[in-house]
Amino acid sequence: MFWGEVMTQTKTHTAKLDVVVVGAGFAGMYLLHRLRGLGFNARVFDAASGVGGTWYWNRYPGARCDVRSLDYSFSFDKELEQEWEWTEKFATQPEILRYANHVADRYNLWPDMQFNTRIEGQTFDDATERWTVTTSAGDVIDAQHVVLAVGTLSAPKLPEIKGIDSFKGAWFQTQKFPKEGVNFLGKRVAVIGTGSSAIQSIPEIAKTCKQLTIFQRTPNFSFPAGNRPLARDEVDDMKKVYPAYRQTARQSFFGQPAEEPTQSALEVSAEERNARYQKGWDAGQLVGILGAFTDILFDKDANDTVAEFVRAKIREIVKDPVTAEALCPYNHPVGTKRPCLDTGYYNVFNMPHVRLVDLKKTDITEITATGIKTTAESMDFDVIIYATGFDAMTGSILKIDVTGRNGLKLGDVWKDGPSTYLGLGVHGFPNMFTVTGPQSPSVLSNMMVSIEQHVDWITDCITALRDKGFKSIEATDKAQKDWVEHTYEIGQTTLYPLADSWYMGANVPGKPRVFLPYIGGVGPYREKCDEVAKNNYEGFALAK
Ligand code: NA7
């Protein structure tokens, strides 16, 4: 149990608020801290029983952040930055959750957070220019602003497989793993999916289970994380340079300082190219590989060189040539599905009790009472783990019944894909903001950097409205159309559209196929947002 769970249950619900914040992840917590400091009456709601968002739910074995801990942390308070001690290069889920709880304690956020409460609907009143927000706990809140800090990977997705409810053994989703963990000792375990959650958990599960069968629909590119404990002087050195380092991160492309590439992968010799990839591979940092050359995310031939480098590594590590070949990705360029960082993933396939089932050859036809049936065979299991991903970026927003001006439903407006201005506001939905929403850098960046940028921008905006006596702010149709077009145009210059990825909405049947995040870079995006604010919120209509 975490500190906030009991304390917050007794709080009386507030009926009138300046700001409703949806989500008690890092974005929601920083929003609350900032809004309260600026004198707003704000409250955070979350369906979970504690803080942490993504890190509250995703408790599967081996869960870690794939951004370095020293980067994946708040920078808004120098004291917090100096006092917190990360222990590993890539923090584990429990350590990140401890950090989230530390933040909530340090800023005494608990009294203004309400847990076990899902926001079910929000309706904009054209006459009062305010939102009526309803919750699963029966609250009805009259709020001037609503900030959706709901997370981008927060709407878990089960696969569309026949018979999913008929399995009589134990089954779990990686995104909702039980707090007490699962004992795999002596168990026959199936894992469906080979995204990051599967790739992180498989080596851990393999350590104790009796038999492990991995059902792979699409092989992924995975790189060794090279995780290790952080050395004392490494932490101290970073703490000395943090202010300048963070500033560089804010202006960088991915929200993490990295050497800026200057050359195309195709203008250097194969030896030099492979030497750079090897450096990235050894460094265990995604930006090291994706940013090794200027054109890896933009030019298929350039991308093929790194794809072949990884495939050669897989063939080198995995002893059985058939399994090795099945693990080699060919159907998408490197980086166009989120690449993974692993700890011993490919080595697992050399263990005698581990087996890969290639669903491209023998697809799953049914989940049965005792296991999984494919086109080739029936297999019995004690445990099935679904590591089958999320309805990303829009799923968690559209779970809320959002009704804007003139009865406009957000679900209808977004039926062909999301439309936003800067990934911050939506035309027809005044006084509603999204944090790291679609059409912002979001999942293509270090989330902490993007969260801080959005929270600062949103809270500055709400303050400016109050100080200048404006009741509402709304993205204009024109500014939104231009931004959406710019987002798509810039997406089209990359290789991302070539993959059936969750970046493209392709993993959810019926979801419109559009490129969801903004790939213009964290630094340039920040500049654009700052410019908009400086020009009196250009592209937004303000009303007194
Ligand atoms: P991902 O990356 O969306 O991975 C989900 C995996 O599940 C992926 O391999 C899917 O294959 C697979 N999947 C989904 N549906 C099925 C069915 N019906 N049958 C077989 N396999 C299926 O989610 P994660 O939780 O691993 O990672 C999410 C992000 O968290 C990650 O990108 C990091 O940013 C952290 P597919 O590729 O769709 O063929």
Side-chain angles (χ1 to χ4, degrees), residues 195-267:
S196 181
S197 303
I199 284 177
Q200 287 188 337
S201 56
I202 282 165
E204 287 301 311
I205 298 167
K207 282 180 188 164
T208 55
C209 72
K210 180 172 155 202
Q211 179 197 305
L212 179 59
T213 309
I214 294 139
F215 293 84
Q216 171 191 274
R217 187 164 72 181
T218 311
N220 228 317
F221 290 98
S222 191
F223 301 85
N227 189 47
R228 53 178 170 74
L230 284 172
R232 180 71 262 156
D233 51 351
E234 192 178 0
V235 176
D236 291 345
D237 287 352
M238 179 59 101
K239 285 187 178 179
K240 278 186 212 138
V241 299
Y242 248 148
Y245 184 85
R246 302 288 204 185
Q247 195 48 29
T248 312
R250 290 181 198 116
Q251 286 154 355
S252 67
F253 195 84
F254 290 114
Q256 287 173 81
E259 227 172 282
E260 289 294 326
T262 52
Q263 281 176 303
S264 155
L266 304 173
E267 68 180 86

Side-chain angles (χ1 to χ4, degrees), residues 167 188 211 368 370-372 378-382:
F167 184 60
R188 297 161 304 169
Q211 179 197 305
T368 66
T370 56
I372 296 174
S378 283
M379 289 163 262
D380 287 347
F381 296 104
D382 303 306

Side-chain angles (χ1 to χ4, degrees), residues 105-173:
D105 286 344
R106 194 184 198 288
Y107 303 103
N108 188 28
L109 301 177
W110 302 111
D112 296 307
M113 297 196 286
Q114 184 173 325
F115 296 106
N116 302 306
T117 306
R118 185 173 284 287
I119 298 296
E120 291 187 330
Q122 56 180 83
T123 304
F124 190 73
D125 184 326
D126 296 283
T128 61
E129 305 264 310
R130 293 176 68 90
W131 288 96
T132 302
V133 181
T134 53
T135 78
S136 57
D139 312 271
V140 179
I141 303 144
D142 169 15
Q144 189 178 3
H145 300 280
V146 178
V147 187
L148 300 174
V150 291
T152 49
L153 296 164
S154 320
K157 210 190 133 286
L158 274 170
E160 300 70 29
I161 302 176
K162 188 175 135 197
I164 208 155
D165 294 326
S166 45
F167 184 60
K168 297 280 184 268
W171 65 272
F172 305 95
Q173 289 177 263

